[in-house]
Amino acid sequence: MKQFFASIGRRKTYVVIELFLVYLVLGIGLIMLGSVLPDLRTAYALDYKTGGTLLSIQSVGYLGVGLVTGVLSVKLGLKRAYLILYALMPVGFIMLLTGSAPLWLMAAMLLTGLSKGAVTDYNNRIMSEYANGNAMPLNFLHAFFAFGACVAPLLVLFCQGLGANGWRIAMSVASVLLVGALVFGLFMQIDSEKPAEGYHAPAGGGFGFFRERLFWQTTAIGFFYQAVEASMMGWLTSFYVDSGALETGAAQIVTALLWIALLVGRFSCSVIAAHYKPWQMILVMCIGIAAFLALLVCGTALPVLLAATIGLGLCMSGMYGTSVANASTIFSRYPASMGIFVTLTGVGAAVAPTAVGLVADLANIRFGFGVLLIAAVLLVIAAIMNAAYFKRRA
């Protein structure tokens, strides 16, 4: 990373620090929403249907914003578009703290989803351009989100110990951190980059990436990966408990290991990326995801479940950042490509958890989790096709 910072200069270094800071506080804020949801539902007398609708509304915002981020960065300038869309996150948090009407809460969650999608788009696009195909800075960027995600449950747990309104204190702290990152971003010098060559549509049209095979194979990898990741985040604890593999307390501890493994893995991938090409890393990680997921679905003994959980965390840790680096030439040439990529891959994250639940209702949670093996196999196939593409080019 020292060489990376030395190559980009002081002005871009400030921008990169802002990207790191935003991802850190976003990790705290977004994971905190899941941690405080039971308390929020109790405080506002919401039923399970309304609570589930809030989560769905956030996903809708996340998927939809990718269609406009590229256009806004050109129309408003990259810095202005970035800060306006990011500001929706603290606004959403403040709304969650100040109102209890279902429509008000849904609007708040929609804003957080829009902000999450926009930041994912801009952070990855900017870092991809600065890194010039090097996966290390991208994986380092995502490591900050994972660190924030590890901090969030501990912060909520500490604040809950302060009283019945601990969830409000936790969300207030998160709101202050989110606003702090916004203020820090006001001093970025990013529009002076025109919003950069990477944000001008090349000859042949702004949607020429639709004709690029590299875009579609990278999108396929992201789609199936996010299907597995989102389902793991949402269903893992339920899988452990409902399958009878672990008691509730043990299940939560083992689930926490997933985030720890993700954090360790993302820092490790930042180092490994300096020695291997993105397509090589993707192939290894995809095979590892499929193998450890199969071990998890079939395993019942604690040592097996521990190994599967940690292995999955390590293999999943660098997938998103490395996938972006895999198609960095596409994302830097076409302003709309990252937004479309985020939207299309996000569909996998929105659909897969529902599929797991439907199958679990018809059979049981172990069969439901088994559905993810289909996504894992398709993920490996996409990675093999991606590797073959780069080998032919070489």
Side-chain angles (χ1 to χ4, degrees):
M1 286 297 293
K2 178 185 276 189
Q3 184 178 2
F4 167 71
F5 281 115
S7 68
I8 61 176
R10 179 177 296 179
R11 179 163 52 84
K12 289 184 178 180
T13 295
Y14 190 98
V15 175
V16 170
I17 293 173
E18 164 70 358
L19 303 187
F20 287 165
L21 181 59
V22 165
Y23 251 23
L24 174 67
V25 297
L26 221 62
I28 294 173
L30 290 173
I31 301 305
M32 180 180 289
L33 286 176
S35 298
V36 304
L37 186 59
D39 291 331
L40 185 146
R41 285 183 52 252
T42 300
Y44 295 153
L46 305 177
D47 56 21
Y48 284 106
K49 180 181 178 181
T50 305
T53 302
L54 293 179
L55 298 177
S56 298
I57 289 291
Q58 186 184 55
S59 297
V60 170
Y62 176 81
L63 293 176
V65 75
L67 300 174
V68 299
T69 49
V71 174
L72 288 178
S73 66
V74 173
K75 296 293 185 181
L76 301 178
L78 181 56
K79 176 181 176 180
R80 190 175 292 111
Y82 180 87
L83 292 178
I84 288 174
L85 291 174
Y86 166 65
L88 299 180
M89 183 65 69
V91 170
F93 267 64
I94 293 170
M95 289 175 66
L96 289 171
L97 286 167
T98 56
S100 61
L103 288 178
W104 177 267
L105 298 175
M106 290 177 191
M109 291 298 283
L110 178 63
L111 293 183
T112 64
L114 291 170
S115 180
K116 175 186 175 184
V119 169
T120 299
D121 181 339
Y122 289 139
N123 274 23
N124 283 286
R125 193 194 306 178
I126 295 168
M127 187 64 81
S128 178
E129 181 182 339
Y130 287 2
N132 195 28
N134 182 1
M136 179 190 294
L138 283 159
N139 282 313
F140 205 79
L141 173 67
H142 287 271
F144 275 83
F145 184 93
F147 183 77
C150 291
V151 170
L154 300 177
L155 179 58
V156 172
L157 185 62
F158 173 78
C159 292
Q160 285 175 334
L162 300 178
N165 287 321
W167 70 275
R168 288 184 177 276
I169 298 173
M171 289 195 65
S172 297
V173 172
S175 299
V176 171
L177 294 174
L178 289 164
V179 171
L182 177 64
V183 173
F184 189 85
L186 294 174
F187 301 96
M188 290 190 299
Q189 298 180 37
I190 198 170
D191 278 342
S192 58
E193 297 174 19
K194 302 188 261 190
E197 286 80 6
Y199 294 92
H200 287 290
F207 293 94
F209 59 91
F210 282 131
R211 298 188 296 271
E212 299 279 356
R213 178 180 171 182
L214 178 58
F215 172 79
W216 289 110
Q217 63 196 30
T218 304
T219 299
I221 291 169
F223 179 91
F224 294 119
Y225 163 68
Q226 288 212 41
V228 174
E229 182 194 56
S231 300
M232 287 288 295
M233 300 308 174
W235 286 107
L236 187 59
T237 302
S238 297
F239 169 77
Y240 285 140
V241 176
D242 296 346
S243 67
L246 295 173
E247 297 293 332
T248 302
Q252 293 180 355
I253 293 173
V254 175
T255 301
L257 289 176
L258 181 68
W259 276 110
I260 295 173
L262 281 164
L263 180 60
V264 172
R266 282 174 179 167
F267 280 110
S268 300
C269 284
S270 298
V271 177
I272 295 171
H275 305 285
Y276 296 94
K277 296 178 180 179
W279 67 265
Q280 294 172 319
M281 295 176 63
I282 288 172
L283 182 60
V284 173
M285 288 187 290
C286 289
I287 293 173
I289 288 171
F292 285 115
L293 183 59
L295 192 64
L296 181 71
V297 171
C298 299
T300 55
L302 179 59
V304 174
L305 296 175
L306 284 172
T309 303
I310 295 172
L312 275 167
L314 292 174
C315 291
M316 291 166 54
S317 60
M319 273 296 299
Y320 196 90
T322 308
S323 296
V324 172
N326 185 69
S328 61
T329 55
I330 302 296
F331 298 137
S332 63
R333 285 164 52 203
Y334 297 98
S337 60
M338 179 60 77
I340 300 296
F341 173 79
V342 169
T343 300
L344 293 178
T345 57
V347 173
V351 172
T354 301
V356 171
L358 290 173
V359 175
D361 280 337
L362 295 173
N364 57 52
I365 190 65
R366 193 173 291 275
F367 275 97
F369 235 62
V371 171
L372 296 179
L373 292 175
I374 299 174
V377 170
L378 294 174
L379 178 62
V380 172
I381 292 173
I384 291 173
M385 294 176 63
N386 185 64
Y389 169 84
F390 278 100
K391 283 186 176 181
R392 282 196 298 270
R393 288 187 59 184

